[in-house]
Amino acid sequence: MPLISEEPQIPESAQGPRVTPAAGRTAPTPRPVPGPRSAATPRPGRPGPGPARPAPPAQRAHPAPAAPAPVPAAPARPEPTENRSAPQIQLIPAPAGSALDAAEEAVDLLLESGRAPGDILVLTTGEQHPWAAHELSFGEAAYWAQHDAGDDVFFADVSAADRARSRPVVVVAVNGDADRTVARTLPVARDRAAALLIVCGDPQTINSALGAGV
C-alpha cells in the first residue's frame, strides 16, 4: 500500500496565488513603517531647533521726570518816588472872586480820586479860607498843631507858606493881593508841592509868576 507522509499536504489552490517576480527585477524591500516622531526629532530637510534663547533682560524702569522747579517770582519793582524838585503843575482858570471856590472843588476831586486828606495843603493869596480863620481864633499854637498832625486838609495864607511843611499836593487860590506878592509866593508854593501843584486864578498872572514852564 502507498506510504502516507506525516505532514498533511495543503492543496495548492488553498495557498493563494503565487507571485513570481518578473525576470530581471528583484522584489522591493518593504519599508519600515515610521513610528510617531518625537518633538526632539527634526523633520528631514530642516535644521533642528537651536539652543533656547535667553529671555530678554527686564527693561530698566526709568524714573519719572522730575517736576520743573518753580520759577522764582521776579522781585517787586519799587514804586517810583515822587520827584520833589519837579512837581506837575496844573492851572485852573478862574477870576479872583471865584478862585477859592475853584480850589475847594479841586480838593473835592482829589479826595474822590483817592488822595488822603493829609496829602493836601491849600494856600490863599487874598482872603483866608473860612476854616483857617475859624481855627486861628483858638490861637496859632492849636492851629499849627493841626498842621503838624498831618491827618487832614490844611488851609493857610501864602504868607505862612515858609512855615508849612511839604505835602504831595499843594493847591493855591489866587483870590487877591498884588501881582508882586503872587510872583513871590507861587515859587515857594511850588517848592512845597512834592508831586502836584494846582493853581486856581487868572492865567496871565499865574504864568507871569511861574514863568513859561507852567
Side-chain angles (χ1 to χ4, degrees):
M1 54 185 303
L3 296 176
I4 300 173
S5 173
E6 294 180 0
E7 295 181 1
Q9 297 294 324
I10 299 175
E12 187 173 343
S13 60
Q15 293 179 1
R18 180 176 298 176
V19 179
T20 303
R25 297 180 61 183
T26 58
T29 304
R31 297 180 179 179
V33 179
R37 184 169 58 251
S38 63
T41 305
R43 181 176 297 179
R46 293 189 180 183
R53 296 182 179 179
Q59 187 176 4
R60 181 179 300 176
H62 296 283
V71 179
R77 296 182 178 179
E79 296 184 0
T81 56
E82 296 175 335
N83 188 352
R84 303 179 68 89
S85 62
Q88 180 183 356
I89 300 176
Q90 180 179 350
L91 173 61
I92 300 178
S98 302
L100 189 55
D101 293 337
E104 289 182 337
E105 292 178 2
V107 170
D108 292 339
L109 291 175
L110 289 168
L111 296 176
E112 291 175 0
S113 66
R115 277 288 181 181
D119 289 349
I120 305 171
L121 171 66
V122 181
L123 301 175
T124 57
T125 63
E127 183 181 358
Q128 288 187 341
H129 190 275
W131 181 91
H134 177 267
E135 295 300 324
L136 280 170
S137 65
F138 297 98
E140 287 194 4
Y143 171 74
W144 286 105
Q146 296 185 57
H147 166 269
D148 296 339
D151 54 4
D152 204 351
V153 180
F154 191 78
F155 297 85
D157 186 82
V158 289
S159 61
D162 291 338
R163 186 172 179 179
R165 294 179 179 175
S166 175
R167 291 198 178 191
V169 182
V170 175
V171 181
V172 179
V174 184
N175 60 338
D177 210 338
D179 294 348
R180 184 175 58 186
T181 304
V182 174
R184 184 177 66 252
T185 56
L186 285 184
V188 177
R190 179 173 54 187
D191 293 340
R192 295 296 179 271
L196 176 63
L197 172 63
I198 301 176
V199 185
C200 307
D202 178 62
Q204 183 176 357
T205 303
I206 296 170
N207 289 332
S208 299
L210 295 178
V214 179

